[in-house]
Amino acid sequence: MLLVNLRKSISRGLSYLSLAGTMTLLSLVASFAQAPIDAQFTAWLKNDLWPEARSRGISQLTFNTAFSGVNPNLKLPDLVLPGEKQQLPQKQHQAEFRSPARYFAENIIAGVVNGGRPLYRKHNTLLAALERQTGVPGHIVIAIWGRE
């Protein structure tokens, strides 16, 4: 009985040790994979972003403070890492990726226009203020709003 319990304990211990080893190995592989990207990110900050920030009057202290502890987030959806090829789905469902005839179909445009007219009247004051502030005509803003 003692021997059976000892074997079970050793077996369980080896399983835990194996699991811990595997997790450590995966963690090391992930950190080695990210190391070149971290180096590229640091080089980009130093060689590209910092000179631009400096040319716009940002001090080195402000820049360093702003980027202290900032690291690339490699878990972003659709992120394409350096050296990888972007994977696009076979079928695109967004209208902009199809034939323009469907995107600009008269019945679709008529629906957008009919929905936009009352919104243009309702938000005319806001659209006029946006136009003064940005220089973008109100009818352009409402057209984009209606399309998107």
Side-chain angles (χ1 to χ4, degrees), residues 40 42-54 63:
Q40 288 176 355
T42 301
W44 172 75
L45 284 174
K46 179 182 175 188
N47 300 327
D48 296 323
L49 194 58
W50 163 240
E52 183 178 337
R54 182 180 54 221
F63 184 84

Side-chain angles (χ1 to χ4, degrees), residues 121-147:
R121 286 189 294 272
K122 179 180 179 183
H123 298 289
N124 194 28
T125 305
L126 173 62
L127 292 167
L130 284 171
E131 184 171 344
R132 284 190 302 277
Q133 185 179 9
T134 65
V136 179
H139 65 276
I140 299 295
V141 173
I142 204 77
I144 294 169
W145 184 16
R147 201 60 180 135

Side-chain angles (χ1 to χ4, degrees), residues 3 10 13 21 23 31 61 67 72 80 92 103-104 108 113 118-119 126 130-131:
L3 190 55
I10 290 172
M23 296 302 287
S31 66
L61 177 64
F67 286 96
V80 180
Q92 293 287 335
Y103 190 75
F104 295 108
I108 300 293
V113 170
L119 289 172
L126 173 62
L130 284 171
E131 184 171 344

Side-chain angles (χ1 to χ4, degrees), residues 32-110:
F32 283 129
Q34 184 164 347
I37 293 169
D38 287 343
Q40 288 176 355
F41 180 72
T42 301
W44 172 75
L45 284 174
K46 179 182 175 188
N47 300 327
D48 296 323
L49 194 58
W50 163 240
E52 183 178 337
R54 182 180 54 221
S55 74
R56 293 176 184 228
I58 296 171
S59 73
Q60 180 84 50
L61 177 64
T62 300
F63 184 84
N64 290 344
T65 301
F67 286 96
S68 175
V70 173
N71 296 308
N73 181 355
L74 302 183
K75 295 180 181 176
L76 292 171
D78 302 326
L79 177 66
V80 180
L81 298 175
E84 290 183 0
K85 188 175 179 183
Q86 184 174 9
Q87 300 293 320
L88 290 175
Q90 290 296 338
K91 184 169 182 167
Q92 293 287 335
H93 296 284
Q94 191 170 340
E96 289 81 359
F97 292 107
R98 297 186 196 146
S99 166
R102 293 177 71 191
Y103 190 75
F104 295 108
E106 194 171 324
N107 61 333
I108 300 293
I109 298 298

Side-chain angles (χ1 to χ4, degrees), residues 18-35:
S18 175
L19 178 62
T22 302
M23 296 302 287
T24 302
L25 183 61
L26 289 174
S27 174
L28 287 172
V29 168
S31 66
F32 283 129
Q34 184 164 347

